[in-house]
Amino acid sequence: MLKAIGSRKNLKDELYYSYISDIIESSIIQDLKQYTHHVYTTRFQHSINVSYYNYKICHFFGLDERAGARAGLLHDLYFYSTNNKPSKHHLKNHPQVALKNASECFYLSPIEEDIILKHMFPITKERPKYKETYVIIFVDKYCAIVENIICRLHKLHNIKLHKKKKVSSNVY
């Protein structure tokens, strides 16, 4: 089932899915499942998270929700590991790599190109042209923080459960 972190919805049942179905079913996007991203999640799941919340916020503000959904899914389309300690070089340059990869595989509107290329502003210095690009700047950071916090809480919860099982197994 396709879900964004924190969402209870099956994303295949929404207008959202109609915007991204051609991209998400492609092997190039499915390959993102092989890469860890933000320590605990996959780059595939992170991209879904960013795409879905980008779509929701763009929809709420009457912006181009289709461009927000599609570019959110493509914003981290690169195929190398950062070992979860991205360098300054990576932070500045991965948007160009993602844009190159995305434009080789999919038609991109000018808004989608801007979103992918400038999602790391202000690190990348060049100012976004569209309001949708400002949305992803915040959504990407928000998702990275939430992904880390939720996964750390799950890990902590599992450690506590493991300790309880050890203690209860020692009881006579």
Side-chain angles (χ1 to χ4, degrees), residues 22-56:
D22 62 318
I23 297 174
I24 199 148
E25 301 298 335
S26 71
S27 61
I28 194 167
I29 295 298
Q30 293 295 314
D31 287 348
L32 294 177
K33 291 177 180 178
Q34 299 173 37
Y35 298 92
T36 303
H37 202 65
H38 298 138
V39 184
Y40 296 105
T41 191
T42 65
R43 194 164 304 136
F44 176 81
Q45 185 62 54
H46 170 72
S47 297
I48 290 171
N49 298 339
V50 171
S51 172
Y52 180 69
Y53 291 112
N54 222 35
Y55 157 79
K56 294 296 278 184

Side-chain angles (χ1 to χ4, degrees), residues 9 14 51-61 65:
K9 292 186 176 190
E14 284 209 11
S51 172
Y52 180 69
Y53 291 112
N54 222 35
Y55 157 79
K56 294 296 278 184
I57 292 171
C58 286
H59 175 80
F60 180 82
F61 286 111
E65 63 195 39

Side-chain angles (χ1 to χ4, degrees), residues 16-160:
Y16 165 78
Y17 187 74
S18 72
Y19 292 151
I20 61 145
S21 61
D22 62 318
I23 297 174
I24 199 148
E25 301 298 335
S26 71
S27 61
I28 194 167
I29 295 298
Q30 293 295 314
D31 287 348
L32 294 177
K33 291 177 180 178
Q34 299 173 37
Y35 298 92
T36 303
H37 202 65
H38 298 138
V39 184
Y40 296 105
T41 191
T42 65
R43 194 164 304 136
F44 176 81
Q45 185 62 54
H46 170 72
S47 297
I48 290 171
N49 298 339
V50 171
S51 172
Y52 180 69
Y53 291 112
N54 222 35
Y55 157 79
K56 294 296 278 184
I57 292 171
C58 286
H59 175 80
F60 180 82
F61 286 111
L63 303 174
D64 189 339
E65 63 195 39
R66 181 179 189 275
R70 294 174 67 81
L73 197 55
L74 299 168
H75 81 285
D76 279 340
L77 189 60
Y78 58 90
F79 303 97
Y80 56 86
S81 176
T82 59
N83 295 322
N84 293 309
K85 293 180 183 176
S87 66
K88 285 184 181 181
H89 177 77
H90 165 76
L91 293 174
K92 286 184 177 184
N93 295 315
H94 83 271
Q96 290 93 350
V97 174
L99 179 60
K100 180 182 179 293
N101 290 336
S103 62
E104 287 175 357
C105 299
F106 308 102
Y107 167 78
L108 301 175
S109 71
I111 295 175
E112 292 165 349
E113 289 178 358
D114 195 66
I115 291 170
I116 296 167
L117 188 60
K118 298 174 185 169
H119 78 272
M120 291 300 291
F121 179 80
I123 292 170
T124 54
K125 306 261 191 261
E126 194 175 345
R127 288 196 184 277
K129 292 180 185 174
Y130 303 98
K131 293 175 184 173
E132 293 83 353
T133 308
Y134 285 101
V135 172
I136 199 172
I137 291 166
F138 295 104
V139 168
D140 186 35
K141 285 25 164 208
Y142 170 78
C143 287
I145 290 166
V146 170
E147 290 161 7
N148 273 287
I149 289 171
I150 288 176
C151 290
R152 287 177 196 267
L153 289 174
H154 281 292
K155 191 174 183 179
L156 183 63
H157 179 71
N158 288 338
I159 289 170
K160 285 182 180 180

